[in-house]
Amino acid sequence: MLSYVVNRSMSRRPRPETPRLRPRVAPTDLTRIDFTEFTPEPVPFLGQAAYLQLEVFENLAKAVATAPDLSAKEGLSAAAGVALRKHHELIAELRRLEVEPADVMAPFAPALDRFRQATSGADWYELLLGIHITSGMLDDYFIRLAEGLPHDLRQRVRAILGESRSAQVIEDALVQAIAADHTLDDRLALWGRSLVGDTLLIARSAIRAGSGDQPADVEPVFTELIASHTRRMDVLGLTA
Amino acid sequence: MLSYVVNRSMSRRPRPETPRLRPRVAPTDLTRIDFTEFTPEPVPFLGQAAYLQLEVFENLAKAVATAPDLSAKEGLSAAAGVALRKHHELIAELRRLEVEPADVMAPFAPALDRFRQATSGADWYELLLGIHITSGMLDDYFIRLAEGLPHDLRQRVRAILGESRSAQVIEDALVQAIAADHTLDDRLALWGRSLVGDTLLIARSAIRAGSGDQPADVEPVFTELIASHTRRMDVLGLTA
């Protein structure tokens, strides 16, 4: 279902006029799933979410360091600050539960480190799209999972993860870059597609880590995540 | 006067008992200089200070990414957040003066990028010490230079640059590392010494950039910076 083909040395070809690829998922097909039934364990949930924000921060810091100009640096460094704040706020929630954040995050580190490396791309543009797609999908996903948390914690987690200013900064940078360089869109479209599989695997591991009972059917949620992904790619003018 | 010898492959040797190197600068020798006579131009002063904080942030982000454990990551990521906040607050001061921060910072970027690369070291420990020594000296220096700024701006700049929580985090990490690995102290002592020259060159360029008139004699200020450097190294148990 998902394409993993990435051909980085691909030369510019005219886009095929037809057949035009349709988005794989039509939003009207979606069945809503009541996420409260998953009732994630707060501690591992927060640990994975916190470590994930640290990874997003590290990738954004790399994007700052390699940005082509100072204006891009400024926007991205603000976005890096947002990811860092999310990380520290989630860590504060762990401390509130009287656990040591480093201990809780440690089991998630190897897989998430690999995930970050696998999604950070071959250059600045792929790095940016990698951050945008993966953190977009996973923030959405963790907000959905949070529906099963105790009420107060749920409210705070949604407030922490819901901050989307940084997504706007990255989107603007990508839109600008794609408009300026017409060799980018095909390459980034492929790259964007290749990110989905890895991201869904991380999402799936979040359910396993966060919940004692294996959820019967998370497929509809995943379908919804892919639909959001398609919309995110559409905004960039990229075929999902 | 300054030693530039760095021998990274140096094997562990017993420390010579005598002659023990004395700190090069005795604090009592210092003549205070009235920095208000330098009256730095606010715009280039803020531009260089802002870009410098961005460099500190980038090095701290690298230190986060390469930290040996999650506890170190947590402290350093908080420190990275502080540098980022300093950067953005200085940029906000530039906007208040109705200039475009990217334009103001651009002339300082090449030299400061080189400076960051030259002071980021061969491994995580050298990177940390590089951040600690260079940002310690330069924050002190910019706070001194700020004495010549208009009153309100001076107060705000001193408040921005005076935040020293992150220095404490880095110092703690270094003290721990040096205690845990007895091969580190000689190597880091040499590395610390080699950082001083480059840092003073950046400090000197700050005066040129920030002030129309070439100051008659900044040597006493530099002497004072070196004395602070010696104290900073002493705290780490390193011979300056």
Side-chain angles (χ1 to χ4, degrees), chain A residues 51 54 57-58 61 64-66 70-71 73-74 77-78 80-81 84 87-88 91 95 100-103 105-106 109 113 116, chain B residues 51 54 57-58 61 64-65 70-71 73-74 77-78 80-81 84 87-88 91 95 100-103 105-106 109 113 116:
Chain A
Y51 197 79
L54 186 63
F57 164 72
E58 289 186 19
V64 170
T66 55
L70 283 174
S71 303
K73 265 185 202 283
E74 189 182 342
S77 69
L84 201 53
H87 170 65
H88 285 128
I91 276 191
R95 291 208 192 285
E100 173 51 43
D103 297 343
M105 291 189 293
D113 287 347
R116 176 169 54 84
Chain B
Y51 197 79
L54 186 63
F57 163 72
E58 289 185 19
V64 171
L70 282 175
S71 302
K73 264 186 203 284
E74 188 183 343
S77 69
L84 202 53
H87 170 66
H88 286 127
I91 276 191
R95 291 209 194 284
E100 173 51 43
D103 297 341
M105 292 189 292
D113 287 348
R116 175 169 55 82

Side-chain angles (χ1 to χ4, degrees), chain B residues 10-26:
Chain B
M10 188 173 68
S11 60
R12 177 72 186 150
R13 304 163 288 113
R15 273 191 163 208
E17 287 301 309
T18 55
R20 184 81 182 194
L21 280 175
R22 295 165 56 80
R24 283 183 199 76
V25 180

